[in-house]
Amino acid sequence: NAGVTQTPKFQVLKTGQSMTLQCAQDMNHEYMSWYRQDPGMGLRLIHYSVGAGITDQGEVPNGYNVSRSTTEDFPLRLLSAAPSQTSVYFCASSDERGGRDTQYFGPGTRLTVL
Amino acid sequence: GENVEQHPSTLSVQEGDSAVIKCTYSDSASNYFPWYKQELGKRPQLIIDIRSNVGEKKDQRIAVTLNKTAKHFSLHITETQPEDSAVYFCAASRGGGGFKTIFGAGTRLFVKA
């Protein structure tokens, strides 16, 4: 299994540009989440999904959209990039079935907005 | 909204000493409390977790305690080693695993040889 994969690894955008961060998992997990990590602020939840077709907002959802059309994929869309969105973005997946609760993180995408 | 506070933000210990990191959560419905370790440039990885029906859990040199009444939980690392140096995050959620997990701000642990 590849686990949780994210693309791209690095991205530089100009203010106002839009882009999609890709996240995929091959573990058939129900739950998927997007976090941003900024120095001194830990991991902040942007959006999460409890299954295909179901998404909800986390702590810092403004400026981001998500969709979950399949169990495997959970893309994060930046509608109009702003310098405040410069961060490292992690996608994660987990599953409660069978008593497994571990949240598995992808390798991250480092995004810089100029 | 839900909040998790973590202290200290930085912790420096001598190799072989113990390290304790403390967290407080605000959502009384939280019932799952994982701890993650993140090495520089790497992704967070789960090191131990505890559910609300358990007061303490131990795995070799790592232990976690939970006080649901006070909404406190703590990570204890004994006999620290240089490879324990990393950032540690506590988290809380209402469901298991990733269901709307809220993280603390992290503790940077330095273990001096």
Side-chain angles (χ1 to χ4, degrees), chain B residues 17-101:
Chain B
D17 288 349
S18 295
V20 180
I21 302 170
K22 298 182 179 182
C23 290
T24 304
Y25 61 97
S26 62
D27 184 1
S28 56
S30 296
N31 59 13
Y32 177 69
F33 307 92
W35 286 87
Y36 290 84
K37 176 182 180 182
Q38 186 179 30
E39 296 175 346
L40 189 62
K42 302 282 183 66
R43 71 193 79 184
Q45 291 194 301
L46 181 76
I47 54 171
I48 195 168
D49 57 7
I50 191 168
R51 291 194 175 277
S52 58
N53 58 351
V54 175
E56 184 172 357
K57 184 176 178 181
K58 190 173 181 181
D59 183 4
Q60 299 183 331
R61 296 186 297 109
I62 295 173
V64 57
T65 58
L66 171 66
N67 182 331
K68 277 218 78 176
T69 303
K71 292 192 275 188
H72 288 171
F73 59 114
S74 300
L75 177 72
H76 304 252
I77 306 174
T78 58
E79 299 171 22
T80 53
Q81 301 166 3
E83 52 264 38
D84 294 330
S85 296
V87 179
Y88 292 81
F89 294 99
C90 62
S93 81
R94 291 187 178 188
F99 180 66
K100 199 173 183 182
T101 301

Side-chain angles (χ1 to χ4, degrees), chain A residues 37 94 96 101-103 105-106, chain B residues 36 38 43 51 89 96-98:
Chain A
Q37 185 172 33
S94 65
E96 282 190 284
D101 285 329
T102 302
Q103 189 163 199
F105 284 84
Chain B
Y36 290 84
Q38 186 179 30
R43 71 193 79 184
R51 291 194 175 277
F89 294 99

Side-chain angles (χ1 to χ4, degrees), chain A:
Chain A
N1 287 353
V4 181
T5 57
Q6 290 183 239
T7 55
K9 285 193 167 104
F10 302 94
Q11 183 71 50
V12 178
L13 292 178
K14 294 181 180 177
T15 297
Q17 287 184 314
S18 62
M19 80 159 292
T20 299
L21 307 185
Q22 301 292 344
C23 175
Q25 52 93 7
D26 61 359
M27 298 174 282
N28 200 30
H29 283 172
E30 293 178 296
Y31 301 149
M32 295 187 76
S33 303
W34 275 103
Y35 297 89
R36 59 176 289 172
Q37 185 172 33
D38 304 297
M41 299 190 74
L43 292 148
R44 290 185 292 168
L45 182 64
I46 304 171
H47 287 284
Y48 66 101
S49 169
V50 299
I54 306 169
T55 63
D56 205 348
Q57 295 181 351
E59 302 170 87
V60 288
N62 292 344
Y64 307 94
N65 273 358
V66 292
S67 59
R68 183 103 179 264
S69 56
T70 67
T71 299
E72 294 78 19
D73 300 298
F74 191 42
L76 178 73
R77 279 180 284 277
L78 278 70
L79 309 173
S80 178
S84 61
Q85 294 178 305
T86 294
S87 189
V88 179
Y89 291 85
F90 287 101
C91 176
S93 75
S94 65
D95 195 297
E96 282 190 284
R97 290 172 291 189
R100 296 163 293 159
D101 285 329
T102 302
Q103 189 163 199
Y104 294 91
F105 284 84
T109 294
R110 186 175 294 274
L111 176 68
T112 301
V113 182
L114 302 175

